Amino acid sequence: MISSCLRLLAALALAVPIVGPTLARPARPNILFIFSDDHRHELLGKVNPSIRTPALDALADSGVRFSHAFATTAICSPARAAVLSGLYGTRNGVPTLSDPLKYPAATFVHDLAEAGYRTAQAGKWHLGTTPQAAGFAQWARINSNGSWFNRNINTNIPGVAGGLGGTFYETFMADVVIDWIADHTANHADEPFFMWWCNQVPHVDGSLKYPDVKTDPANKVQHTPWGSSGGFRATYDVGDMTVPGNWSDSLSTKPPYLATSRFVTKSATEDYGGPGGYTNPAAGVRNATVGEDNVQQHQLEYNAAITALDAEIGRVLSRLDDPNSDGDSSDSIANNTWIVFMGDNGWQTGHHKFTSKVLAYEEACRIPLLVKGPGVTPRVESKITLNIDVTPMFYRIAGLDVPGYLQGKDLKELVADPGVPWRERFYYEAVVDESSLDAEPHDAVRTEQFKLIRTYASRTDAANNTNVTFEELYDLDTDPGELVNLASDPAFATVKGNLVTALEEEKAAIASSPAPIARRNRSAE
């Protein structure tokens, strides 16, 4: 009898799975999203030898670098709203600067929080909707743009000071991120996190300048005099900076308003790169052509700012391996953390003689995008990707269903499989005229080879495809600098016609897409 019972118990023991560490379900991954500001697509050391970004280069080497990533609208606020909502600006309520989200309760942040993620925001905030309303439980925000060294901070994170107090913006916020992750790992290790770290650099400061920063890791404050030894600027040689190939653009085949727009005049009135800016009245020391010296100097200042930011990114990424900084990596979260680095939009430094962004030209709307995560095989991916593609990826990483109303594609699919069917074109939207940036309503459609840009008389005309005041067509294979406008060339009439149809189809699909629904209400769909 006893032997029969023993045999039964043994059989039951074999039938019941052993519960232990080896069979435990892996913890849901963390997500660290790093969002740089006005960072042009090719300004990574791996791509461009004139700039040094060792931390970002290492990230690119260990993940997927998307070489053809774009912002749906190349302006600060719309770019942020696009990621939070997964929608174009005309659908999410933020087609231009500082507007509030139309559907703040339907951001991916709310959905991750409801699914058990701890959510936090650090750095620049440039929306009419607060971080709390957008779903963040904790935040340390600085509104809009301004000084890199003296700004007030709105925060509910314990221990975070109420101002920069002279510390470099990115150093201060890197410390916020490091300390928050250390606290999370020590006290909330059983919960996943989403951290939104939004940089101000390399956006210019409130004086439209790129201030210098000390290279001393223990003293990250403003370095003066700018350009002297001991600052990031002095680590660059202006002679290594190149003048853009499309600097020579006469603008004769561009919309006429651009020649006298802010994109040109601001470079002189704000002395970008030196007195007189890009349109200075005298030839330079290094170049006989008016303005080129200052273009090179401005590019040096821009590059130095990005290198200063890169140092802070490197500090944060290194701490994922040792969150409490005790030299023991047993608390490492690096292998269970997805890292996404992306620029909000590009920035023109003498391209077409312009500064700023907004426009549909490559230097304004094309952005860097890097993704590293558990099991990701490093590569360079050339398919067209958009900032709204990271939104469905965040849902997938968190193990959630992707809402059907999102307008981006699931980037996680492309990260995992370079052969997945993908888009062959995308629609660029800048149809609401932004008076402070001096851009008339326009939009564009881009394929791998061609780009069509249309400018309209008003935002109403842009919405209705009426009163097109100017058209531009570029063959990006033969003319990557977008200098030769083919819109009136009979040889390209069929190409142009197909692109007009594509543009209007994409625009109509965006306008007719379903409205977002907050997660808690989706069961009623």
Side-chain angles (χ1 to χ4, degrees):
M1 180 68 176
I2 293 175
S3 61
S4 298
C5 290
L6 290 174
R7 285 195 298 270
L8 177 60
L9 289 171
L12 288 172
L14 291 173
V16 176
I18 299 172
V19 177
T22 57
L23 295 180
R25 181 181 178 184
R28 285 181 295 170
N30 308 304
I31 305 170
L32 172 61
F33 178 51
I34 308 171
F35 208 10
S36 66
D37 198 316
D38 287 0
H39 193 151
R40 199 165 61 244
H41 69 96
E42 90 286 5
L43 290 180
L44 300 171
K46 289 192 65 62
V47 179
N48 185 339
S50 74
I51 190 168
R52 292 185 301 279
T53 55
L56 291 174
D57 291 351
L59 182 61
D61 284 340
S62 57
V64 180
R65 178 172 68 84
F66 295 90
S67 61
H68 288 76
F70 298 86
T72 52
T73 301
I75 311 177
C76 297
S77 303
R80 285 153 181 73
V83 176
L84 286 167
S85 67
L87 305 172
Y88 275 80
T90 50
R91 293 296 287 137
N92 66 34
V94 189
T96 188
L97 285 172
S98 302
D99 288 334
L101 288 164
K102 187 175 182 180
Y103 309 99
T107 68
F108 77 87
V109 186
H110 279 292
D111 288 356
L112 265 61
E114 290 186 23
Y117 272 72
R118 296 185 71 231
T119 59
Q121 176 271 340
K124 177 176 175 176
W125 190 258
H126 202 168
L127 287 170
T129 302
T130 66
Q132 182 179 22
F136 292 101
Q138 292 185 294
W139 60 85
R141 84 172 192 256
I142 298 179
N143 290 328
S144 189
N145 305 303
S147 169
W148 288 3
F149 306 98
N150 292 288
R151 301 286 301 282
N152 293 328
I153 299 167
N154 180 298
T155 183
N156 70 343
I157 300 176
V160 175
L164 298 178
T167 300
F168 177 40
Y169 190 119
E170 304 306 341
T171 301
F172 186 100
M173 287 301 173
D175 286 340
V176 170
V177 175
I178 287 169
D179 292 346
W180 191 91
I181 290 176
D183 175 76
H184 175 91
T185 305
N187 299 305
H188 306 276
D190 58 336
E191 302 172 71
F193 71 74
F194 178 89
M195 166 59 77
W196 171 292
W197 177 24
C198 190
N199 316 119
Q200 178 173 293
V201 172
H203 197 292
V204 292
D205 70 2
S207 300
L208 302 184
K209 303 292 185 185
Y210 295 113
D212 206 355
V213 182
K214 288 187 180 296
T215 57
D216 180 358
N219 190 29
K220 287 292 186 68
V221 296
Q222 182 167 196
H223 178 72
T224 56
W226 294 354
S228 63
S229 179
F232 276 96
R233 284 193 190 182
T235 66
Y236 283 93
D237 184 340
V238 72
D240 294 333
M241 303 297 110
T242 58
V243 176
N246 53 12
W247 162 258
S248 61
D249 195 343
S250 68
L251 303 182
S252 61
T253 61
K254 299 285 189 295
Y257 84 92
L258 287 174
T260 56
S261 69
R262 178 185 187 273
F263 300 100
V264 173
T265 60
K266 204 70 172 177
S267 69
T269 58
E270 296 299 334
D271 292 346
Y272 284 168
Y278 297 168
T279 53
N280 61 53
V285 175
R286 292 176 299 279
N287 296 288
T289 305
V290 168
E292 290 192 2
D293 271 31
N294 285 353
V295 170
Q296 286 180 279
Q297 177 61 30
H298 203 219
Q299 186 64 56
L300 180 150
E301 296 166 7
Y302 185 30
N303 286 12
I306 292 172
T307 301
L309 167 63
D310 183 83
E312 304 309 320
I313 291 173
R315 283 203 306 127
V316 170
L317 297 186
S318 67
R319 287 292 292 272
L320 297 178
D321 280 316
D322 184 14
N324 64 6
S325 192
D326 64 355
D328 180 358
S329 62
S330 61
D331 60 343
S332 173
I333 59 172
N335 291 333
N336 195 41
T337 300
W338 284 76
I339 303 164
V340 180
F341 171 83
M342 186 169 71
D344 65 344
N345 44 250
W347 182 260
Q348 298 162 125
T349 51
H351 303 85
H352 308 285
K353 294 189 173 62
F354 297 153
T355 64
S356 197
K357 48 213 177 186
V358 189
L359 303 174
Y361 304 122
E362 295 286 286
E363 297 84 7
C365 66
R366 195 165 158 189
I367 54 177
L369 174 57
L370 311 173
V371 177
K372 175 186 177 181
V376 171
T377 301
R379 74 176 195 275
V380 177
E381 176 56 67
S382 62
K383 290 185 175 67
I384 293 173
T385 50
L386 305 179
N387 54 1
I388 56 175
D389 295 338
V390 303
T391 314
M393 178 174 69
F394 292 150
Y395 280 93
R396 286 286 306 282
I397 291 171
L400 302 177
D401 292 336
V402 178
Y405 57 76
L406 297 187
Q407 294 173 333
K409 295 180 70 68
D410 177 9
L411 193 64
K412 191 170 185 288
E413 289 188 354
L414 185 56
V415 167
D417 180 7
V420 69
W422 202 251
R423 69 169 62 83
E424 296 180 349
R425 68 193 191 196
F426 91 95
Y427 172 73
Y428 178 78
E429 177 182 83
V431 294
V432 175
D433 48 311
E434 173 49 62
S435 58
S436 68
L437 298 176
D438 211 11
E440 293 186 358
H442 63 285
D443 56 14
V445 65
R446 188 198 193 277
T447 67
E448 290 185 2
Q449 182 176 358
F450 292 101
K451 181 187 292 182
L452 173 73
I453 307 173
R454 300 205 304 187
T455 302
Y456 304 87
S458 70
R459 65 179 67 182
T460 301
D461 289 314
N464 296 319
N465 298 312
T466 54
N467 288 326
V468 176
T469 60
F470 206 86
E471 290 182 315
E472 301 165 76
L473 174 63
Y474 301 105
D475 183 338
L476 300 172
D477 283 352
T478 61
D479 178 29
E482 298 169 295
L483 290 167
V484 181
N485 185 357
L486 303 170
S488 299
D489 188 333
F492 290 87
T494 300
V495 170
K496 177 183 166 184
N498 290 339
L499 290 172
V500 167
T501 299
L503 183 150
E504 295 184 359
E505 287 176 350
E506 295 286 342
K507 185 188 296 188
I510 291 166
S512 62
S513 63
I517 301 173
R519 179 180 174 83
R520 58 184 173 272
N521 297 325
R522 283 183 206 145
S523 60
E525 283 185 289

